[in-house]
Amino acid sequence: MAEPFEPKLTAFVCNWCTYAGADLTGTSRIKYQANVRVIRLPCTGRIDFMMVLKAFARGSDGVIISGCHPNDCHYTSGNYHARRRWMVFRDLIDFVGIDLARVTFSWISAAEGAKWASLVNETTDRVRALGPYQEIGKLAAAGIE
Amino acid sequence: MSRVGVFVCHCGENIAGTVDVAAVAQAALAMPGVVAALDYKYMCSDPGQTMLKKLIADERLDGVVVAACSPRMHEPTFRRTTLESGLNPFLCEMANLREHCSWVHDKGPATTAKAIDLVRLQVEKVKRNRALAPIRVPITKKALVLGGGIAGIQAALDIANAGNPVLLVERSPSIGGHMSQLSETFPTLDCSQCILTPRMVEVARHPQITLLTYAELEKLEGFIGNFRATIRRKARKIDESLCNGCGVCQQKCPVKKIPDAFNEGLANRSAIYVPFAQAVPNKPVIDVASCTFFKTSKCKACEKLCPTQAIRFDQEDKIEVHEVGALVLATGYRTMPVANFPEYGYGQLTDVIDGMKFERLASASGPTGGAIKRPSDGKAPQHVVFIACAGSRDRAKGVPYCSKICCMYTAKHAMLYRHKVHGGKATVFYMDVRAAGKSYDEFVRRAIEVDGVSYIRGRVSRVYEEDGQLVVKGVDTLLGGEPVEIRADMVVLATAVEAQDDAEKLAQTLHVSYDPYHFFAEAHPKLRPVETNTAGIFLAGACQAPRDIPETVAQASGAAAKVCGLFSQPELTREPVVAVVDRQAPPLFSSCTGCLLCKDACPYQAISEEAIKNRAGEVIKTVAQVNPGLCQGCGTCVALCRTKAIDLQGFSNQQLFAELMCI
Amino acid sequence: MESLQRKAQELLAAGTVKLVIGYGEGTGVRRRPIFVRTGDQAGSLVLDPACTQNLATYLTKAEVRALGRTALVATPSTLRSILQLAAERQVREENLLALVPLAGTIKELTTFADIEAMVATLPDEIARADQEMLTQLGAMSVVERRAFWEKELGRCVKCYACRAACPMCYCERCTMDNNRPQWVPVASHALGNLEYHVVRAMHLAGRCVRCGTCGAACPHGIPIHLLTFASEGSVRRQFGQPGGASSRPTYALATFKPDDKEDFIR
């Protein structure tokens, strides 16, 4: 019998808020599912949309992007720039037929340890229900990667 | 070929209890580029650190991954150890196996698999890490304090007493600010000018302080440690070196009917004037808009009568450029005008005044010598109504915040009135009484219990005039909403504290953030209250938020401490996590196309233009340039750049790509 | 047409410009860009409704820049491209002269201010056929759209004609040419094709003037201009800062409003 499908999630988080919030989740010993791999960045402003495409191309079934709440960015405005970028990127990838349900955006502050856990759990459950993300992955399989 | 060492920490049972640490170390050894891997109980302990240093030396490691707790916890610790063993500290990364793994997942193969993945991510990243050196920025050890009120005065004195030269710039003719207008101050009721003027004199006489009054900052260029401030010294029309402050010019000036701003319009002044008797410097200024000579070319009485021939009608504004290393913003506040209140008379009712005007009435050096008199007919009012929260905590007036000082000064005003008009009745309409400071609540209780001030909890819906008196229609909510009507002789509104009119313009000139109410923004509301997000610019006083004198003085000293801390080092050392624009071989020189779209995105204005020149000095191309002294390393420009000509050291494109490729 | 040829001759003879870039006859009914350097070459210039290619793409070529002041036959899209290039510091006012066919005459525009004024009077719409395609695609489900683009982009051979044709793709080292790291694989397989076109559409968001030249340039007739129209449309709808409106930088993705409306962030 085949192994039950366990989704692979990649999370792009900012160092000052969401990463710290995830640390708080750990300090508070709140459990969540182990499907996520966190990539630490100084700020959500650093997130290039090419990284999101790459995550899917490398076999992620879902992507989480999370940073500081508006007005709280450690670098003042990185998250505002990121937000604008996502507003356009989201429309574009929806236009080319990439399933937006697999991309989750959130603002999580350093105090919101519980929110990080619930976000990961909720996203994992949702992506598990959606199934493996074949669309991009199969394109990769067809190619050289 | 990389030589990476992986150190897996047990952290006692914290990690080892859930993650199979031995398996992680073994898996790490199999990763390409890893030449050594071990696991140990406590990597942060002395033996653990020693182990780290030994392995770096023995195995000639060029990269280190410590798989342990969060980098937010111990990255500095392990980077220091790495540095001590002779390896560049930026070649050390941490994999978070505790907060992000062992503490949040159950023991099992999935958890260990995740731990191995997390280690692999960091191994791939560290293989692309570059050795980085801290950035050093020189510092000009001179401070500019903008604003000569109590905040600016305190900051200037503290910085100067630490041995640093200070330039104090104030736009009105004298320092002193709003505090010089006050009568007595809470909670001690000591006279404001009595405690302020000694400080003002100290500033004037301090060898390290250069005082520029009647001057404004026009432009600020540069960055922390290296600012260039362009200051306009407005023409007083007086030669300050000759003027001895005798005052004859003011006495003899024929134009005497100009409403005096210092006295809130309760008195008049002449066209040539000193703002108040204790002004520092005690040198007059000619108000060019009102002076007869400037309007009609006649008069010149002051010039004729000045015993030292100090009048200079042809004096021009002077522009000066000063090099400074840090700025303290202490530009203060203003109060909401009474004209903002249609319900209280549109500012047309002469006896409806604001708190500042009451201060001038109560002040011993004020136009009435400290006697409380109605502005309309000069009689002593027998019943004064004080309305608290006039404009504050009121979204309809655009001020949802609390102005903090009004509950205290309203109690003070009521007490002073009762002290001066013994038979008079004082009523305060309030919403809450906010008296949170030291001795503050006792002060308010004193007003109520000793000085017999009536406190009614309710708002005033309307004030209008009838038969020479003011009808005040309020409500008493503690008596179940019973309407209250008082026929008062004077009404004092505790109007909201607001940012200065030109606060927004100043903030934009300095590239300092500000909130929707134009108060300047602190870098962090709790942990960095005296800094702004603009490196080298600090905050003191009410320009940041409404506050009283004790807090202002404390904050000014705090800002001064930051400035002195900055100046105490020979140079400024910064983390090298900064963006860098690349260079390539000719004929490309740099992949940057010079579109400069990154420039607007930088929150710190760290990006400027640079011309790449050939040996003959001709410009080959113009590209972007990042000031490493200003860049904070957010990476917004990197994500924005289409050609990836700009990259972030420490979180470079190669490092992140490597992490993504191993997922 | 004659007035254009005459104008070109005059400008070259007087030495006002060193080069006139315009349209000439191509294969069959097509038109192609021609580079007129002397008066006698001016006779090759043509002007008719088939002249739609955005010629601004040549303004950033080193060979053109080396020649000196250039006159350019400009369609409305070309004018917008010139403004966007100016905002990105890629062209200088003194090196440029726009020749705009207007009601039988040729109008000369020599300053960015003049170009902005002209652009403000011109309609800013995309072709009806493209608008209909966009509406159709918008009405499809995500899965249907995926299938559509998989089929279309499957024909892409990574010739990069679209990139060469676009005036805003002037980077000397395109991110596609970067191999350390190689974000987008170079070979023309399905994943690489998708990533390339998504990346290009994102890089053009807020800069695209919707001239459609990229789609016209594609030798396989893939409607890739719809992708850039989509990303540019997204910018216009959400931020109102279109590309090519002004010679001063107004790049939508380099600025922000604290209250940008987003409903998808938790």
Side-chain angles (χ1 to χ4, degrees):
Chain A
M1 190 177 112
E3 294 260 330
F5 163 62
E6 274 308 314
K8 245 164 77 163
L9 297 181
T10 307
F12 298 93
V13 304
C14 85
N15 179 50
W16 300 96
C17 281
T18 305
Y19 196 91
D23 276 356
L24 180 61
T25 319
T27 321
S28 318
R29 310 292 198 279
I30 304 175
K31 302 259 194 243
Y32 53 89
Q33 299 176 62
N35 303 59
V36 70
R37 305 287 179 265
V38 166
I39 299 206
R40 180 170 78 121
L41 301 155
C43 179
T44 44
R46 175 71 184 88
I47 300 176
D48 199 314
F49 56 87
M50 292 201 288
M51 297 181 201
V52 177
L53 288 176
K54 215 43 164 187
F56 280 123
R58 293 298 297 165
S60 291
D61 303 296
V63 166
I64 295 175
I65 300 177
S66 181
C68 306
H69 288 262
N71 224 19
D72 290 348
C73 179
H74 179 83
Y75 303 99
T76 317
S77 55
N79 57 353
Y80 287 129
H81 289 294
R83 175 167 70 178
R84 275 220 162 176
R85 218 174 280 146
W86 302 339
M87 285 164 82
V88 179
F89 184 55
R90 205 162 166 273
D91 279 351
L92 183 63
I93 58 176
D94 183 48
F95 186 69
V96 299
I98 294 178
D99 190 355
L100 280 180
R102 295 183 179 271
V103 187
T104 310
F105 298 90
S106 77
W107 304 129
I108 295 186
S109 77
E112 292 176 309
K115 189 173 175 188
W116 171 250
S118 75
L119 183 79
V120 173
N121 278 335
E122 193 265 335
T123 309
T124 310
D125 290 338
R126 177 161 35 93
V127 174
R128 188 182 290 115
L130 288 170
Y133 194 33
Q134 309 269 359
E135 301 295 338
I136 306 293
K138 78 171 187 234
L139 296 182
I144 291 158
E145 304 226 295
Chain B
M1 197 55 224
S2 299
R3 296 185 65 79
V4 175
V6 176
F7 302 84
V8 186
C9 184
H10 296 213
C11 197
E13 278 302 296
N14 281 311
I15 298 178
T18 328
V19 170
D20 184 349
V21 286
V24 173
Q26 204 174 26
L29 206 49
M31 292 176 193
V34 176
V35 299
L38 56 80
D39 58 275
Y40 181 65
K41 268 209 166 326
Y42 293 106
M43 281 307 303
C44 53
S45 64
D46 272 345
Q49 307 267 297
T50 312
M51 219 180 257
L52 183 60
K53 287 191 206 171
K54 190 164 185 304
L55 209 61
I56 291 176
D58 288 347
E59 294 287 343
R60 295 169 292 114
L61 297 180
D62 62 12
V64 167
V65 173
V66 179
C69 49
S70 172
R72 294 176 60 88
M73 183 102 188
H74 270 313
E75 191 177 73
T77 315
F78 290 111
R79 284 204 167 158
R80 206 173 323 123
T81 314
T82 310
L83 175 65
E84 282 166 11
S85 61
L87 189 62
N88 185 285
F90 290 91
L91 298 174
C92 167
E93 292 284 347
M94 284 189 71
N96 190 340
L97 298 193
R98 194 180 68 174
E99 281 87 339
H100 282 196
C101 194
S102 68
W103 274 353
V104 290
H105 302 315
D106 296 317
K107 186 170 175 165
T111 308
T112 303
K114 177 170 172 176
I116 294 175
D117 276 350
L118 291 177
V119 170
R120 183 179 304 119
L121 276 171
Q122 295 308 316
V123 167
E124 289 300 313
K125 185 179 186 210
V126 89
K127 290 199 288 197
R128 279 94 185 164
N129 277 25
R130 299 238 187 104
L132 301 172
I135 297 166
R136 299 191 194 285
V137 176
I139 310 174
T140 305
K141 297 193 187 189
K142 183 172 173 189
L144 169 60
V145 176
L146 209 57
I150 181 63
I153 289 172
Q154 183 65 42
L157 285 173
D158 284 342
I159 299 172
N161 284 335
N164 301 298
V166 177
L167 188 63
L168 177 55
V169 173
E170 162 60 46
R171 68 172 170 190
S172 67
S174 166
I175 55 176
H178 281 303
M179 192 173 165
S180 57
Q181 291 177 286
L182 306 181
S183 54
E184 277 94 346
T185 53
F186 58 79
T188 45
L189 289 184
D190 45 0
C191 147
S192 181
Q193 290 214 358
C194 304
I195 52 178
L196 179 63
T197 40
R199 294 280 169 102
M200 288 164 60
V201 171
E202 211 185 321
V203 163
R205 296 176 49 187
H206 204 295
Q208 292 278 44
I209 298 181
T210 307
L211 181 58
L212 296 183
T213 55
Y214 211 48
E216 290 197 61
L217 179 73
E218 290 219 319
K219 191 161 68 154
L220 186 70
E221 297 162 288
F223 56 98
I224 181 174
N226 303 272
F227 289 111
R228 280 169 54 88
T230 303
I231 296 173
R232 174 181 291 273
R233 298 187 64 176
K234 298 182 285 195
R236 293 179 110 98
K237 308 298 185 191
I238 305 288
D239 183 337
E240 293 180 59
S241 62
L242 294 176
C243 171
N244 63 10
C246 69
V248 167
C249 51
Q250 293 177 82
Q251 287 166 9
K252 298 301 183 188
C253 176
V255 181
K256 290 206 189 304
K257 292 272 174 57
I258 304 160
D260 181 1
F262 183 82
N263 279 311
E264 301 289 322
L266 286 170
N268 292 328
R269 61 160 171 82
S270 41
I272 184 167
Y273 71 103
V274 169
F276 54 102
Q278 298 86 355
V280 169
N282 193 5
K283 317 265 180 197
V285 151
I286 296 185
D287 173 5
V288 163
S290 316
C291 169
T292 309
F293 172 72
F294 282 103
K295 292 203 294 200
T296 64
S297 298
K298 295 200 177 32
C299 186
K300 284 197 175 187
C302 50
E303 191 185 49
K304 292 186 200 110
L305 296 163
C306 174
T308 55
Q309 280 95 53
I311 310 289
R312 295 279 176 279
F313 286 116
D314 54 357
Q315 195 182 63
E316 302 268 334
D317 289 356
K318 215 162 73 144
I319 306 287
E320 288 180 4
V321 177
H322 291 265
E323 314 259 326
V324 296
L327 259 87
V328 177
L329 287 182
T331 48
Y333 66 98
R334 66 175 176 134
T335 49
M336 185 183 274
V338 176
N340 245 30
F341 299 89
E343 63 271 38
Y344 302 148
Y346 281 109
Q348 303 291 321
L349 300 174
T350 323
D351 293 321
V352 174
I353 63 174
D354 68 4
M356 246 343 153
K357 224 170 192 166
F358 189 88
E359 295 282 349
R360 293 316 299 150
L361 287 175
S363 172
S365 59
T368 60
I372 309 295
K373 294 182 180 169
R374 284 165 34 115
S376 57
D377 57 12
K379 296 208 182 84
Q382 295 310 307
H383 190 161
V384 178
V385 166
F386 298 87
I387 300 179
C389 291
S392 305
R393 308 175 64 191
D394 190 348
R395 274 177 211 278
K397 292 269 186 284
V399 177
Y401 55 85
C402 166
S403 293
K404 198 163 193 186
I405 55 178
C406 339
C407 284
M408 285 305 291
Y409 77 62
T410 297
K412 175 188 80 174
H413 287 172
M415 286 165 79
L416 290 177
Y417 165 67
R418 290 279 296 142
H419 293 176
K420 291 170 195 268
V421 182
H422 290 297
K425 197 159 154 35
T427 305
V428 174
F429 280 92
Y430 72 100
M431 296 213 286
D432 299 287
V433 175
R434 296 184 165 176
K438 191 168 178 176
S439 310
Y440 281 21
D441 203 69
E442 297 93 308
F443 182 79
V444 178
R445 297 311 308 165
R446 190 174 132 196
I448 298 171
E449 290 163 14
V450 175
D451 290 315
V453 176
S454 282
Y455 267 67
I456 299 182
R457 188 175 182 274
R459 309 221 47 195
V460 170
S461 60
R462 243 194 105 193
V463 173
Y464 60 91
E465 194 170 21
E466 200 175 72
D467 301 330
Q469 281 198 300
L470 295 164
V471 181
V472 178
K473 291 183 102 66
V475 66
D476 191 334
T477 58
L478 294 179
L479 287 183
E482 195 170 286
V484 172
E485 185 180 297
I486 298 181
R487 300 188 80 82
D489 300 311
M490 194 158 90
V491 170
V492 183
L493 304 177
T495 54
V497 169
E498 295 188 293
Q500 298 273 20
D501 277 337
D502 56 350
E504 185 179 31
K505 183 157 156 288
L506 180 62
Q508 288 168 351
T509 306
L510 300 172
H511 294 297
V512 162
S513 330
Y514 52 98
D515 71 12
Y517 313 105
H518 297 182
F519 288 111
F520 301 135
E522 61 285 340
H524 189 285
K526 283 169 282 288
L527 295 180
R528 298 174 68 194
V530 298
E531 301 163 81
T532 60
N533 264 329
T534 309
I537 301 187
F538 304 94
L539 292 172
C543 60
Q544 186 230 349
R547 54 169 49 87
D548 53 26
I549 295 168
E551 283 180 352
T552 299
V553 171
Q555 197 189 24
S557 292
K562 294 282 181 193
V563 172
C564 292
L566 177 63
F567 289 177
S568 66
Q569 308 291 333
E571 36 179 26
L572 187 58
T573 318
R574 305 187 64 238
E575 283 268 303
V577 179
V578 293
V580 179
V581 179
D582 73 4
R583 286 289 181 273
Q584 307 280 347
L588 190 57
F589 292 96
S590 171
S591 351
C592 174
T593 59
C595 74
L596 268 314
L597 291 179
C598 50
K599 189 169 172 193
D600 288 331
C602 178
Y604 303 99
Q605 290 88 43
I607 299 181
S608 57
E609 281 176 48
E610 185 184 12
I612 300 183
K613 299 190 180 140
N614 63 16
R615 289 214 189 128
E618 294 157 339
V619 176
I620 305 173
K621 76 193 273 195
T622 309
V623 296
Q625 181 191 45
V626 179
N627 182 336
L630 284 178
C631 173
Q632 301 287 331
C634 70
T636 302
C637 56
V638 179
L640 204 132
C641 181
R642 303 181 304 281
T643 185
K644 302 297 165 219
I646 194 167
D647 208 351
L648 184 62
Q649 290 180 161
F651 290 95
S652 71
N653 281 314
Q654 290 215 52
Q655 286 171 299
L656 292 172
F657 184 78
E659 282 187 65
L660 279 167
M661 288 306 268
C662 71
I663 286 199
Chain C
M1 186 137 85
E2 288 73 38
S3 49
L4 175 63
Q5 292 167 350
R6 224 177 320 128
K7 173 75 72 171
Q9 270 175 337
E10 282 164 16
L11 290 170
L12 288 166
T16 317
V17 300
K18 293 286 191 286
L19 169 69
V20 178
I21 306 177
Y23 303 93
E25 281 185 16
T27 330
V29 300
R30 295 177 201 255
R31 299 283 170 258
R32 62 179 180 83
I34 60 170
F35 301 83
V36 173
R37 313 249 307 255
T38 59
D40 46 316
Q41 293 172 338
S44 311
L45 286 165
V46 304
L47 201 58
D48 58 30
C51 298
T52 52
Q53 181 190 349
N54 191 333
L55 295 177
T57 196
Y58 300 105
L59 290 175
T60 49
K61 304 295 175 204
E63 300 86 337
V64 167
R65 281 184 173 148
L67 286 175
R69 195 160 184 228
T70 301
L72 188 71
V73 177
T75 62
S77 301
T78 311
L79 290 175
R80 292 199 177 90
S81 291
I82 291 173
L83 290 179
Q84 187 64 30
L85 285 172
E88 296 180 17
R89 301 160 184 249
Q90 301 301 311
V91 294
R92 296 157 72 114
E93 209 173 56
E94 58 269 23
N95 289 344
L96 181 68
L97 197 150
L99 298 171
V100 186
L102 202 62
T105 62
I106 305 293
K107 201 159 155 54
E108 276 181 41
L109 297 176
T110 51
T111 66
F112 292 142
D114 287 341
I115 297 178
E116 278 175 25
M118 161 93 43
V119 160
T121 65
L122 298 170
D124 186 10
E125 279 143 20
I126 57 178
R128 166 87 60 87
D130 292 331
Q131 184 56 57
E132 275 169 14
M133 271 259 45
L134 284 174
T135 314
Q136 259 180 26
L137 283 166
M140 290 184 196
S141 71
V142 170
V143 177
E144 285 171 335
R145 271 202 295 275
R146 181 86 289 278
F148 174 83
W149 285 112
E150 207 176 303
K151 178 160 147 288
E152 290 295 333
L153 294 177
R155 295 185 286 137
C156 173
V157 294
K158 288 285 193 74
C159 67
Y160 292 125
C162 46
R163 183 179 72 175
C166 177
M168 301 319 295
C169 282
Y170 54 76
C171 294
E172 293 151 290
R173 188 200 71 182
C174 175
T175 193
M176 305 302 158
D177 301 331
N178 209 2
N179 61 3
R180 290 184 68 194
Q182 189 179 67
W183 285 108
V184 177
V186 172
S188 77
H189 60 70
L191 180 66
N193 293 353
L194 177 70
E195 285 182 335
Y196 162 58
H197 286 289
V198 169
V199 167
R200 186 166 167 273
M202 277 303 291
H203 281 183
L204 282 165
R207 305 167 63 232
C208 173
V209 302
R210 307 194 304 181
C211 65
T213 302
C214 51
C218 176
H220 291 278
I222 307 168
I224 45 174
H225 56 294
L226 295 180
L227 289 171
T228 46
F229 284 16
S231 68
E232 177 64 20
S234 176
V235 168
R236 282 168 186 241
R237 207 176 43 248
Q238 299 189 94
F239 313 124
Q241 285 168 264
S246 156
S247 62
R248 274 152 290 114
T250 53
Y251 185 38
L253 295 184
T255 59
F256 63 89
K257 286 212 194 73
D259 54 358
D260 279 335
K261 274 278 159 289
E262 34 97 343
D263 51 2
F264 58 90
I265 304 185
R266 289 145 192 269

